[in-house]
Amino acid sequence: MELKDMRQKSADELKAHLVELQKERFALRMQKATGQLPPAKNNDPRRVRREIARVNTLLGMKK
């Protein structure tokens, strides 16, 4: 999701998005641990981790 789109969301929407991202991160970690993560998706854990950091930063700014 684009940063400008995230800035327009409310704190509650960002929290809901954060929960979704955490679930996706867990699923990707499990796929990697069991060897089921396809080589084309090797960058997905990094992308999700960075997006989680962006959401946390925006939530801190909105307080």
Side-chain angles (χ1 to χ4, degrees), residues 9-62:
K9 289 188 170 196
S10 68
D12 291 333
E13 291 172 331
L14 286 173
K15 287 178 186 176
H17 186 59
L18 182 62
V19 169
E20 291 174 19
L21 288 170
Q22 289 171 339
K23 287 179 183 178
E24 183 180 356
R25 181 177 179 217
F26 179 77
L28 288 169
R29 280 182 25 218
M30 291 300 110
Q31 286 178 359
K32 184 176 181 181
T34 59
Q36 296 176 352
L37 187 66
K41 291 191 152 199
N42 275 343
N43 287 335
D44 281 357
R46 182 179 183 188
R47 176 191 55 82
V48 171
R49 190 176 69 241
R50 287 184 174 191
E51 193 166 340
I52 288 172
R54 284 186 189 107
V55 170
N56 282 329
T57 301
L58 288 173
L59 282 172
M61 290 171 58
K62 289 193 183 249

